[in-house]
Amino acid sequence: MEKIKMTTPLVEMDGDEMTRILWKQIKDELILPFVELKTEYYDLGLVHREETKDQVTIDAANANKKYGVAVKCATITPNAQRVKEYNLSQMWKSPNGTIRAILDGTVFRSPIMVRGISPVVKTWKKPITIARHAFGDVYKATEYRVPGPGKAELVYTSEDGTSFRETVYDFECPGVLQGQFNKDSSIRSFARSCFQYALDTRQDLWFSTKDTISKQYDHTFKDIFQEIFEAECQARFEAAGITYFYTLIDDAVARVIRSKGGFIWACKNYDGDVMSDMVSTAFGSLAMMTSVLVSPEGNYEYEAAHGTVTRHYYKYLKGEETSTNPVATLFAWSGALRKRGELDGLEALGVYADALETATIETIESGVMTGDLCAMWEGDVPAQKVSSLEFLRTIRGRLEQKLG
Ligand code: NAP
Ligand code: MG
């Protein structure tokens, strides 16, 4: 079989621990035998981040901007214990945070559904994608404890010296106080990324806030979404046969539970943080959840939603074979290759990505799976727990058949 050729390199961001092991296995078993892989490689493993004083993360993000599509392995975000373990000169920032700050995007998380593993919510038949605004609000808030009686005010002073002043509360006793902000520019980017992703994936877009209570703050989010939708997206949505739907967050929660799935739910930062864990848990497992960062300029970074699976890595180091689930990492690769194919007009790459995903899903549906999925399995055939490598080799067998 002739290997599929690529024209533009994919930005490859390698990572840490167990997912770094899976990364290589996925490439060796499922990509390199089929694709003449062209990547620009950046090693975001913690050792190399330390060696480059984290410059490699910045270079990788800039390469993502240059070429448009990246695939990223899970990486360690250092804490005090990691600083010791890796003898770090600094507690380097989260690579995902650095990349997000450079690309200025929105993260979309979707579950991978297979027959035999059903969502807790019986009505959900299709994936629900959560789009979380990853800037501002409570995550950038200023807050303190109010020690006792006194007046709390919200003051803004413009560059020319004019100011607004509003009393927040006349405290008669101790309490707490918090100031939040967001920026129109960031809300616009968020809205554009959401509309773009809805068009890319041909799914309806829902957006929810609490604008009835927050008449300036949340209402601004609602207004900006509506304004961009009408000015830039409405005609394309109509042509694609999809809709944009705004509702209050509490109404959205009720509708999501009653829905069949198959749409994107855009959430403010805090709502997205909370709801994405609820939705991913109800769908099954973090190991079956993909994640893509979409920038307003149309740059894409594909990854798994889980971390580096440290506990399994320590077993692997002791020589034990692990049954770590590679599906989300594998789908990050197929998603990135499909997008590269789309942008470069390489149909064969898209066909390959579809075949790889189908072969993976069919493998699980045939009863062959990693340990984490066995616990959730409700299929007709008994579950057969295999190691990561055996799992990937079984997928390879199916993929070879499909690609003929
Ligand atoms: P984690 O790596 O997601 O793993 C937590 C637990 O979830 C695992 O111990 C395992 O449970 C289960 N699990 C997760 N992914 C799995 C998979 N593919 N297959 C099977 N089981 C899976 O989270 P963590 O242990 O909290 O974090 C480890 C490191 O990852 C940290 O250094 C953190 O900074 C980093 N992290 C990176 C990213 C990212 O790069 N996107 C995201 C989150 C965390 P059992 O042990 O019970 O089998
Ligand atoms: Mg969270």
Side-chain angles (χ1 to χ4, degrees):
M1 204 191 83
E2 214 184 310
K3 288 193 197 180
I4 300 159
K5 295 208 172 34
M6 293 177 66
T7 46
T8 316
L10 194 62
V11 178
E12 176 183 354
M13 307 181 187
D14 208 342
D16 288 299
E17 299 193 315
M18 202 59 219
T19 40
R20 189 181 179 96
I21 308 297
L22 295 176
W23 193 259
K24 179 156 190 321
Q25 291 177 348
I26 289 169
K27 278 173 70 179
D28 289 346
E29 293 294 328
L30 293 171
I31 299 173
L32 296 173
F34 305 95
V35 182
E36 217 162 85
L37 187 66
K38 225 179 174 179
T39 71
E40 197 163 289
Y41 179 85
Y42 293 87
D43 182 1
L44 266 55
L46 190 49
V47 173
H48 195 240
R49 272 183 276 153
E50 168 68 22
E51 282 165 5
T52 61
K53 304 287 170 228
D54 209 23
Q55 184 61 37
V56 65
T57 308
I58 295 163
D59 293 346
N62 285 327
N64 198 161
K65 267 190 147 169
K66 178 177 166 193
Y67 294 113
V69 188
V71 56
K72 181 182 170 292
C73 181
T75 45
I76 292 169
T77 298
N79 53 16
Q81 184 248 320
R82 299 294 199 167
V83 170
K84 258 201 202 152
E85 183 183 351
Y86 283 82
N87 195 20
L88 302 179
S89 59
Q90 238 180 284
M91 199 185 286
W92 304 111
K93 283 194 206 139
S94 146
N96 287 352
T98 304
I99 295 166
R100 219 174 286 151
I102 293 173
L103 261 65
D104 175 30
T106 299
V107 174
F108 297 84
R109 281 187 163 193
S110 327
I112 300 156
M113 294 180 75
V114 294
R115 251 180 294 129
I117 297 174
S118 19
V120 175
V121 180
K122 286 194 211 76
T123 50
W124 291 354
K125 300 295 175 211
K126 288 181 179 173
I128 295 169
T129 300
I130 298 264
R132 172 182 171 191
H133 184 211
F135 177 81
D137 302 350
V138 72
Y139 302 86
K140 291 269 184 203
T142 304
E143 56 175 32
Y144 49 78
R145 275 200 51 74
V146 172
K151 185 156 83 167
E153 293 176 296
L154 198 58
V155 183
Y156 159 82
T157 311
S158 75
E159 281 180 43
D160 67 16
T162 50
S163 67
F164 310 141
R165 182 177 290 266
E166 289 265 2
T167 300
V168 176
Y169 191 62
D170 260 318
F171 280 93
E172 72 289 349
C173 66
V176 283
L177 185 66
Q178 183 184 67
Q180 290 187 28
F181 75 96
N182 221 303
K183 301 190 294 183
D184 284 8
S185 57
S186 178
I187 303 168
R188 283 211 175 86
S189 293
F190 173 43
R192 289 204 171 97
S193 297
C194 291
F195 289 127
Q196 185 60 46
Y197 195 73
L199 286 163
D200 279 355
T201 59
R202 282 189 172 249
Q203 296 183 85
D204 291 343
L205 177 68
W206 296 17
F207 180 45
S208 56
T209 73
K210 194 71 180 175
D211 67 284
T212 45
I213 299 298
S214 173
K215 290 188 169 59
Q216 294 296 331
Y217 200 111
D218 279 20
H219 214 290
T220 296
F221 279 76
K222 177 185 177 182
D223 290 345
I224 288 176
F225 266 70
Q226 190 61 33
E227 176 200 310
I228 291 178
F229 178 65
E230 284 170 16
E232 300 171 19
C233 307
Q234 195 154 16
R236 283 186 292 154
F237 265 57
E238 277 163 18
I242 57 174
T243 56
Y244 168 58
F245 170 62
Y246 176 84
T247 189
L248 282 171
I249 178 84
D250 34 3
D251 180 49
V253 169
R255 284 174 189 264
V256 162
I257 298 296
R258 288 196 305 263
S259 79
K260 291 193 169 65
F263 55 89
I264 300 159
W265 182 12
C267 292
K268 285 179 64 202
N269 209 350
Y270 175 81
D271 299 342
D273 186 354
V274 176
M275 290 305 157
S276 69
D277 278 14
M278 192 270 287
V279 169
S280 63
T281 306
F283 268 106
S285 155
L286 260 196
M288 295 293 281
M289 183 71 62
T290 62
S291 184
V292 57
L293 173 69
V294 181
S295 86
E297 292 105 55
N299 297 311
Y300 297 78
E301 184 237 314
Y302 291 83
E303 63 177 339
H306 60 77
T308 59
V309 211
T310 311
R311 222 174 56 85
H312 295 214
Y313 182 59
Y314 290 151
K315 282 192 184 168
Y316 170 87
L317 288 181
K318 280 193 230 151
E320 283 177 50
E321 237 190 326
T322 74
S323 183
T324 317
N325 190 337
V327 172
T329 305
L330 202 164
F331 271 61
W333 274 100
S334 56
L337 288 168
R338 179 185 295 109
K339 178 55 74 180
R340 196 64 272 165
E342 239 171 77
L343 296 178
D344 294 347
L346 303 172
E347 211 183 308
L349 212 48
V351 171
Y352 159 81
D354 290 347
L356 176 55
E357 292 181 358
T358 313
T360 305
I361 289 169
E362 285 176 1
T363 298
I364 300 172
E365 289 178 347
S366 77
V368 178
M369 64 196 80
T370 48
D372 57 315
L373 297 183
C374 291
M376 292 180 279
W377 180 247
E378 294 174 336
D380 302 329
V381 290
Q384 187 190 338
K385 178 180 164 180
V386 293
S387 71
S388 304
L389 197 55
E390 282 172 273
F391 180 66
L392 293 172
R393 288 191 174 142
T394 312
I395 296 171
R396 181 172 174 171
R398 280 182 183 270
L399 182 59
E400 276 166 355
Q401 275 177 5
K402 280 185 197 302
L403 296 174

